């Protein structure tokens, strides 16, 4: 049962401590937190919002026209190699961003700022003027140029050059040319004669950017993400102006898409050029054959021939057509082999040569080589040759070339053998034709050549048409699936920042409260004092105004709070003196102004009024206060006695209180602490003890001088007076250390200056009306008891 009570008591005490801390410091968070909120609000107000724009791209393999030369021969039939890490490097490359920024040079080269009272904000639209720079001093790039509209026709530019401010005045819509500028400034749509007065009051700032620096800044602001297991690229740009971020992403997407088409169009053009060359050769050959046949007819006067061997002609024409196709195949193989072997340009892209046979291996291998070359060609635009990705692609191309060359050689040899077989069949039929008349043989040969070349010509025309159609079907593998758009502000998180400031204010408030509670909070009640010390508390003296400054408050205001407090203190002392011969009481404090002298005087008075013979020793020889409080003459006293200039009977002086006497300090000596060490001081102590019931010793503050500690050897009881204005944990620790270090016994504490609110009604109701405090007027102010 006792344990429960103890636990409950501890909890109540803890709550009391918490309540005291709150009641003494409640105003601190109420003051600091709003201040931090205001600071945070103005801080975020001056911050510039950063917005994010986003666009989503998808890499596909769409081809709208399927029946064309490219797909027929497999160069694009296989899906393009998707290396998303490489695509990310391409999109984030400096060159791609550079092309994008230079396309937007007129929009991005110059930044416009509106100067406000609190902050300066960048403007991307709505500026009443526009600047076009033809040339500018490089030292002025990225420098702040002040701009002000003077009137409808003129403007003013200010800037610093070599530490000196320059001012230039120019006219709108007229080129401004001097040693630093070649610019043209024109009015915008919002710049009219009706708005000129308003615009004249505004101040602007202009920054002309270095384009490479601008490219680098936006390259750093660009972020590219590739969600797992997708061919989607998410491009984002963070910028303080959302419209500019959207514009850059839109242009960047278009540049990237166009880059992916360049190589395909180049291949298509080379293929058409190749076919045109073949057509030119076949056309020349066909014309020569037709001229030969016409000349032969005219020379031989041939109008028509009765062909006897139509079967021979048809078969020979078929063999000739087959031979032409095989020759074309060999020529295509030779051209491809030549491209591969010569390899003069490491970024070469072969023309899209056509393979007549649908050879699966050759189709697949050439398609793979084509895609590898496309990838290499794109990579060279954004990476160096030392890049690991480029090295891997080159090794793959080298392997493919070796395999294709071996296969081309084997295919060519096989084709030659087929041609040898066809030639044998042709020779057989030719030998049979020789039995025909000579004119028929000659015309047969000529007409056979015409048919073969016409067939080849028509074949090439068909292929050329297909290639032209395929050009229209070439589309980018990159598709925009989510157009560029503004995602809104992403930073700063203003509510979070303000919350951080408020939190910081609360934390600082708590720290201040804790520091005050631990180191600076003064003790205001006896309960607090008892919780913080192991020394016994013998009494407390209330704070009360409007009491006499003579020092004898127990005489002047016998019914006051403070007089009652002294009577209680006398009662408590009597319990200490009970059944003992203790009579020497020493009074000290931590610092001046805590009330030790006032306590000494009034305890002496209350004891004397109780019939005891009391003497007070004014041993604060540094700053004696008893003589001032009692308005007594101190021409003689302790100092003159120790110096041998007075007798002890001569320095004892009565006060206005019966049975209360005082031995004052006498003239203040130059070495007060040394006089305290004098042996003659013992005579004064012994004399007082022998002739009086109580000896009250007023000493200097123990927290400042060692006199009090030394004099405690003569005392029976030591009273430390604390004042609620100054009493804190540090003061108590000093007393504790003093007591332990000097092994002082019989130490008691008195707490002075306590505010007692509960008794105000009682005293006012019954006419006592002395308020709550007292003033002592001893040169220390009027708060609390002063020494």
């Amino acid at each position: 049962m006792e344990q429960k009570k103890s636990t409950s008591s501890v909890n109540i005490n803890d709550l009391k401590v918490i309540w005291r801390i709150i009641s003494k410091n409640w105003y601190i968070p109420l003051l600091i937190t709003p201040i931090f909120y205001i600071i945070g609000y103005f801080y975020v107000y001056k911050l510039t919002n950063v917005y994010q724009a986003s666009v989503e791209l998808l890499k596909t393999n769409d081809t709208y026209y399927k029946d064309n030369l490219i797909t027929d021969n497999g160069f694009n039939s296989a899906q393009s190699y998707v290396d998303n890490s490489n695509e990310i490097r391409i999109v984030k490359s400096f060159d791609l961003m550079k092309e994008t920024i230079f396309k937007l040079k007129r929009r991005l080269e110059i930044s416009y700022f509106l100067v406000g009272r609190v902050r300066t904000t960048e403007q991307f639209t709505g500026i009443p003027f526009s600047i076009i720079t033809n040339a500018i001093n490089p030292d002025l790039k990225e420098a702040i140029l002040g701009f002000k509209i003077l009137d409808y026709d003129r403007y003013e530019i200010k800037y610093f050059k070599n530490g000196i401010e320059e001012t230039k005045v120019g006219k709108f819509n007229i080129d401004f040319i001097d040693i630093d500028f070649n610019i043209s400034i024109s009015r915008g749509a919002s710049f009219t004669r009706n708005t000129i007065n308003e615009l004249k009051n505004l101040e602007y700032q202009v920054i002309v950017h270095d384009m490479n620096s601008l490219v680098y800044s936006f390259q750093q602001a660009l972020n590219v993400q590739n969600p797992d297991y997708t061919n989607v690229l998410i491009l984002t740009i963070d910028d303080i102006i959302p419209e500019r971020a959207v514009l850059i992403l839109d242009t960047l997407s278009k540049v990237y898409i166009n880059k992916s088409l360049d190589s395909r169009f180049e291949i298509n053009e080379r293929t058409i050029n190749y076919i045109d060359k073949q057509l030119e050769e076949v056309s020349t050959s066909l014309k020569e054959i037709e001229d030969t046949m016409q000349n032969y007819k005219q020379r031989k006067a041939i109008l028509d021939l009765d062909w006897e061997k139509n079967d021979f002609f048809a078969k020979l024409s078929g063999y000739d057509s087959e031979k032409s196709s095989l020759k074309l195949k060999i020529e295509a193989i030779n051209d491809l082999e030549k491209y591969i072997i010569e390899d003069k340009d490491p970024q070469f892209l072969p023309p899209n040569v056509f393979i007549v046979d649908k050879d699966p291996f050759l189709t697949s291998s050439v398609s793979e080589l084509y895609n590898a070359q496309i990838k290499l060609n794109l990579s060279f635009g954004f990476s160096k040759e030392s890049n690991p990705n480029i090295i891997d692609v080159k090794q793959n191309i080298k392997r493919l070339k070796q395999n294709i060359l071996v296969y081309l050689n084997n295919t060519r040899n096989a084709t030659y053998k087929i041609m040898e077989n066809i030639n044998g069949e042709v020779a057989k039929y030719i030998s049979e034709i020789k039995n025909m008349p000579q004119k028929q043989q000659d015309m047969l040969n000529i007409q056979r050549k015409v048919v073969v070349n016409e067939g080849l010509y028509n074949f090439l025309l068909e292929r050329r048409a297909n290639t032209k159609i395929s050009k229209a079907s070439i589309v980018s593998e990159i598709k925009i699936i989510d157009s560029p758009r503004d995602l809104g502000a992403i930073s700063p998180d203003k509510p979070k920042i303000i919350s951080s400031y408020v939190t910081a204010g609360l934390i600082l408030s708590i720290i201040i409260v804790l520091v005050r509670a631990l180191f600076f909070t003064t003790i205001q009640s006896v309960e607090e004092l008892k919780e913080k010390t192991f020394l016994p508390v013998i009494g407390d003296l209330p704070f009360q105004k409007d009491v006499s400054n003579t020092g004898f408050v127990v005489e002047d205001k016998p019914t006051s709070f403070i007089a009652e407090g002294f009577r209680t203190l006398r009662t408590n002392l009597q319990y200490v003196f009970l059944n003992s011969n203790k009579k020497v009481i020493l009074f000290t404090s931590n610092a001046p102004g805590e009330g030790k002298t006032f306590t000494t005087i009034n305890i002496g008075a209350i004891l004397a009024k109780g019939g005891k013979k009391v003497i007070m020793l004014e041993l604060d020889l540094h700053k004696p206060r008893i003589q001032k409080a009692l308005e007594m003459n101190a021409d003689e006293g302790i100092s003159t006695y120790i110096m041998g200039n007075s007798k002890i009977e001569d320095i004892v002086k009565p006060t206005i209180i019966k049975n209360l006497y005082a031995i004052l300090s006498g003239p203040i000596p130059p070495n007060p602490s040394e006089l305290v060490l004098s042996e003659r001081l013992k005579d004064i102590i012994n004399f007082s003890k022998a002739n009086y019931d109580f000896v009250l010793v007023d000493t200097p503050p123990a927290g400042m001088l060692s006199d009090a500690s030394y004099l405690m050897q003569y005392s029976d009881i030591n009273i430390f007076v604390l004042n609620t204005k100054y009493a804190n944990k540090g003061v108590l620790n000093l007393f504790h250390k003093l007591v332990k270090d000097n092994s002082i016994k019989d130490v008691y504490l008195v707490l002075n200056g306590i505010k007692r609110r509960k008794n105000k009604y009682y005293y006012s109701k019954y006419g006592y009306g002395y308020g709550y405090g007292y003033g002592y007027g001893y040169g220390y102010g009027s708060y609390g008891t002063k020494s």
Side-chain angles (χ1 to χ4, degrees):
M1 196 71 180
E2 292 180 0
Q3 186 177 358
K4 288 184 179 180
K5 287 183 178 180
S6 176
T7 303
S8 176
S9 177
V10 170
N11 291 335
I12 292 174
N13 289 337
D14 292 341
L15 291 175
K16 287 182 178 180
V17 171
I18 294 173
W19 172 248
R20 282 198 297 268
I21 293 174
I22 293 174
S23 63
K24 294 177 183 178
N25 301 282
W26 59 269
Y27 62 91
I28 293 176
L30 290 182
L31 179 65
I32 293 179
T33 303
I35 292 175
F36 270 70
Y37 174 83
I38 294 171
I39 294 173
Y41 178 82
F42 278 100
Y43 173 74
V44 299
Y45 178 77
K46 297 188 70 174
L47 291 178
T48 302
N49 285 333
V50 177
Y51 300 86
Q52 187 174 84
S54 171
V55 64
E56 293 188 15
L57 306 177
L58 175 66
K59 188 164 186 180
T60 65
N61 191 36
D62 293 342
T63 304
Y64 297 127
Y65 181 72
K66 301 298 181 182
D67 187 17
N68 60 64
L69 178 65
I70 297 177
T71 55
D72 283 348
N73 293 282
F75 285 94
N76 270 350
S77 60
Q79 183 176 356
S80 296
Y81 175 77
V82 179
D83 183 357
N84 290 326
S85 62
N86 194 48
E87 293 299 320
I88 292 174
R89 293 174 66 89
I90 292 172
V91 175
K92 289 179 66 70
S93 66
F94 185 87
D95 289 344
L96 194 67
M97 182 60 74
K98 182 177 182 179
E99 185 173 344
T100 301
I101 298 302
F102 272 82
K103 280 182 178 291
L104 301 172
K105 181 177 179 181
R106 288 292 177 88
R107 299 289 305 275
L108 303 179
E109 184 181 18
I110 299 176
S111 292
Y112 303 89
F113 299 86
L114 179 62
V115 180
R117 294 181 178 179
V118 178
R119 61 177 178 175
T120 300
T121 56
E122 185 174 358
Q123 307 290 312
F124 192 65
T125 57
I127 294 295
F129 59 91
S130 62
I131 302 175
I132 297 176
T133 59
N134 301 315
I136 186 172
N137 186 339
D139 294 336
L140 297 181
K141 287 189 175 182
E142 305 298 336
I144 297 176
L145 310 178
F147 187 92
K148 187 173 180 61
I149 298 173
L150 299 179
D151 51 44
Y152 186 76
D153 296 315
R154 297 180 305 143
Y155 58 83
E156 177 185 79
I157 297 178
K158 290 184 178 181
Y159 58 93
F160 283 91
K161 182 179 179 182
N162 299 325
I164 301 175
E165 186 179 43
E166 300 277 349
T167 301
K168 303 290 176 68
V169 177
K171 293 186 176 182
F172 289 105
N173 300 328
I174 298 177
D175 289 349
F176 181 81
I177 302 174
D178 74 351
I179 58 174
D180 291 324
F181 298 105
N182 181 355
I183 59 176
S184 175
I185 302 180
S186 57
R187 304 182 194 92
S190 61
F191 192 159
T192 65
R193 293 189 182 275
N194 294 329
T195 60
I196 183 62
N197 291 330
E198 181 182 348
L199 296 177
K200 285 168 59 177
N201 296 324
L202 300 178
E203 292 186 12
Y204 297 91
Q205 290 178 350
V206 174
I207 296 178
V208 181
H209 296 290
D210 175 74
M211 293 305 293
N212 286 330
S213 299
L214 197 63
V215 171
Y216 179 78
S217 65
F218 283 111
Q219 182 193 21
Q220 297 301 309
L222 175 65
N223 183 42
V224 183
Q225 294 180 337
N226 173 219
D228 294 339
Y229 312 113
T230 69
N231 285 337
V232 175
L233 296 180
I234 301 176
L235 282 61
T236 59
I237 280 186
D238 299 341
D239 193 7
I240 60 175
I241 300 177
E243 297 90 346
R244 181 168 60 193
V246 171
L247 178 63
I248 291 173
L249 280 182
D250 183 59
T251 307
L252 178 66
S253 302
K254 293 176 180 177
V255 171
Y256 178 47
I257 290 172
N258 291 335
K259 282 289 185 182
S260 70
L261 292 173
D262 288 346
S263 296
R264 294 173 179 268
F265 283 122
E266 185 179 353
I267 295 296
N268 188 275
E269 288 297 325
R270 290 192 181 187
T271 302
I272 292 175
N273 293 336
Y274 178 84
I275 294 175
D276 287 341
K277 181 181 177 183
Q278 295 293 323
L279 281 172
E280 185 179 356
E281 293 177 358
V282 173
S283 178
T284 301
S285 177
L286 185 60
K287 188 176 184 305
E288 291 176 353
I289 295 172
E290 289 176 346
D291 290 343
T292 300
M293 183 174 66
Q294 186 65 26
N295 291 335
Y296 185 81
K297 284 183 178 182
Q298 291 176 357
R299 192 172 61 251
K300 299 295 184 179
I302 297 175
L303 298 176
D304 192 9
L305 292 175
D306 180 17
W307 300 106
E308 299 176 359
K309 303 294 184 181
N310 289 330
D311 184 56
F312 290 137
F313 177 77
K315 289 183 178 180
L316 283 174
S317 295
Y319 284 129
D320 285 339
S321 295
E322 190 174 352
K323 284 176 61 178
S324 295
S325 297
L326 293 174
K327 287 180 179 179
L328 186 60
K329 179 178 178 180
I330 291 174
E331 188 173 353
I333 290 173
N334 291 337
D335 284 340
L336 183 57
E337 184 181 57
K338 182 180 179 181
Y339 263 98
I340 292 174
I341 293 175
E342 288 184 355
D343 196 13
K344 295 179 180 179
D345 184 358
Q347 303 180 48
F348 89 95
L349 290 169
N352 206 343
V353 295
F354 39 83
I355 308 299
V356 178
D357 286 347
K358 301 300 180 182
D359 189 320
F361 175 79
L362 191 58
T363 299
S364 174
S365 298
V366 174
S367 297
E368 190 175 353
L369 176 62
Y370 169 80
N371 289 324
Q373 289 290 169
I374 288 286
K375 180 179 177 182
L376 181 64
N377 193 31
L378 288 173
S379 299
F380 268 118
F382 311 106
S383 303
K384 297 181 179 179
E385 290 194 28
S386 59
N387 187 284
N389 289 331
I390 291 182
I391 293 174
D392 292 341
V393 174
K394 281 187 173 182
Q395 291 176 348
N396 185 38
I397 289 174
K398 183 177 179 181
R399 177 185 59 79
L400 288 172
K401 286 180 178 180
Q402 291 173 346
N403 294 338
I404 292 173
L405 287 174
V406 172
Y407 188 82
L408 288 177
N409 186 58
N410 294 336
T411 303
R412 183 170 47 232
N413 293 335
T415 304
Y416 278 134
K417 289 182 179 180
I418 295 172
M419 289 182 65
E420 288 178 5
N421 293 335
I422 292 175
N423 287 333
E425 293 295 324
V426 170
K428 176 183 176 182
Y429 280 100
I430 289 176
S431 64
E432 294 180 3
I433 291 175
K434 287 182 180 180
N435 296 326
M436 299 172 61
Q438 185 64 41
K439 286 183 180 182
Q440 287 181 327
Q441 294 181 37
D442 293 340
M443 286 300 295
L444 182 63
N445 290 331
I446 294 172
Q447 194 163 356
R448 190 176 75 242
K449 292 179 180 180
V450 170
V451 172
V452 170
N453 281 277
E454 283 179 346
L456 181 58
Y457 188 81
N458 290 333
F459 174 78
L460 290 172
L461 284 178
E462 180 186 356
R463 290 301 184 180
R464 191 179 191 281
N466 286 341
T467 306
K468 280 286 187 180
I469 294 173
S470 71
K471 183 175 183 179
S473 73
I474 294 176
V475 294
S476 174
E477 294 179 338
I478 310 300
K479 304 294 180 184
I480 298 177
I481 60 175
D482 194 357
S483 300
R485 58 191 178 92
D486 176 22
L487 300 180
I490 59 169
S491 68
D493 189 343
K494 293 185 177 181
K496 184 176 180 180
I497 293 175
I498 293 177
S499 298
S500 299
Y501 270 85
V502 172
T503 302
L506 287 173
I507 293 173
L508 180 61
S509 301
I510 293 171
I511 292 174
I512 292 174
V513 169
L514 291 177
V515 170
R516 280 171 52 86
L518 293 175
F519 303 104
F520 298 101
T521 299
T522 56
I523 298 169
Q524 298 295 316
S525 68
V526 173
E527 290 77 10
E528 288 183 64
L529 183 59
K530 289 179 178 179
E531 290 171 5
K532 293 179 171 60
T533 182
F534 60 85
L535 299 175
V537 180
I538 198 171
D540 61 326
L541 302 174
F543 173 78
Q544 185 174 331
K545 298 178 182 178
D546 303 325
V547 295
S548 173
N549 62 357
T550 60
F552 289 122
V553 66
V554 294
E555 177 71 14
D556 298 335
K557 302 288 184 180
T559 60
S560 64
F561 290 164
I562 187 65
E564 185 62 32
F566 280 115
R567 281 191 283 270
T568 302
L569 180 57
R570 178 191 63 186
T571 302
N572 294 337
L573 283 172
Q574 288 176 345
Y575 282 106
V576 175
F577 294 142
L578 192 63
N579 300 323
S580 71
N581 58 353
K582 297 178 180 179
K583 59 171 58 181
V584 180
I585 306 173
L586 182 142
F587 293 86
T588 188
S589 62
N590 177 62
E594 297 203 58
K596 63 176 179 58
T597 300
F598 182 81
T599 303
T600 304
I601 293 171
N602 282 279
I603 284 294
I606 204 77
L607 289 173
K609 292 171 76 66
K612 302 294 182 180
K613 192 176 181 182
V614 182
I615 189 169
M616 300 181 293
L617 303 184
E618 190 178 33
L619 281 173
D620 185 355
L621 302 182
H622 296 266
K623 291 184 178 180
R625 289 290 179 264
I626 293 178
Q627 54 188 275
K628 291 183 179 180
L630 302 183
E631 299 179 353
M632 297 176 66
N633 190 346
D635 292 341
E636 289 184 309
I638 295 172
S639 61
T640 57
Y641 175 77
I642 292 176
M643 297 296 295
N645 298 327
S646 300
K647 295 180 180 180
I648 193 166
E649 293 82 2
D650 297 335
I651 62 175
V652 177
K653 297 183 179 181
T655 67
I656 61 174
I657 303 296
K658 183 180 179 181
N659 294 328
L660 180 62
Y661 300 86
I663 299 180
L664 302 179
S665 64
I668 299 176
N671 53 347
S673 295
E674 293 182 10
L675 293 184
V676 172
L677 302 177
S678 172
E679 289 294 326
R680 289 177 64 83
L681 181 61
K682 292 181 181 180
D683 298 337
I684 297 176
I685 301 292
N686 292 331
F687 171 81
S688 300
K689 291 171 67 176
N691 294 281
Y692 298 90
D693 296 320
F694 291 102
V695 180
L696 308 184
V697 181
D698 183 37
T699 66
M704 302 179 66
L705 297 169
S706 61
D707 295 19
S709 301
Y710 176 79
L711 292 172
M712 287 179 185
Q713 62 180 308
Y714 304 120
S715 63
D716 300 318
I717 295 175
N718 302 290
I719 295 179
F720 289 174
V721 179
L722 296 91
N723 194 293
T724 55
K725 281 186 66 175
Y726 314 108
N728 55 39
K729 193 172 182 180
V731 172
L732 284 178
N733 290 337
L734 185 145
F735 284 163
H736 294 161
K737 185 175 186 302
L738 182 66
V739 170
K740 290 181 179 179
D741 291 348
N742 297 280
S743 300
I744 302 173
K745 298 180 180 180
D746 297 311
V747 176
Y748 298 90
L749 302 180
V750 172
L751 184 60
N752 182 26
I754 294 177
K755 294 182 180 179
R756 292 183 176 177
R757 299 182 179 273
K758 294 182 179 180
N759 293 333
K760 178 181 180 181
Y761 174 78
Y762 176 81
Y763 281 93
S764 298
K765 180 177 179 182
Y766 291 98
Y768 293 89
Y770 294 106
Y772 286 97
Y774 48 91
Y776 303 104
Y778 304 137
Y780 295 90
S782 60
Y783 182 90
T785 57
K786 306 292 182 179
S787 60

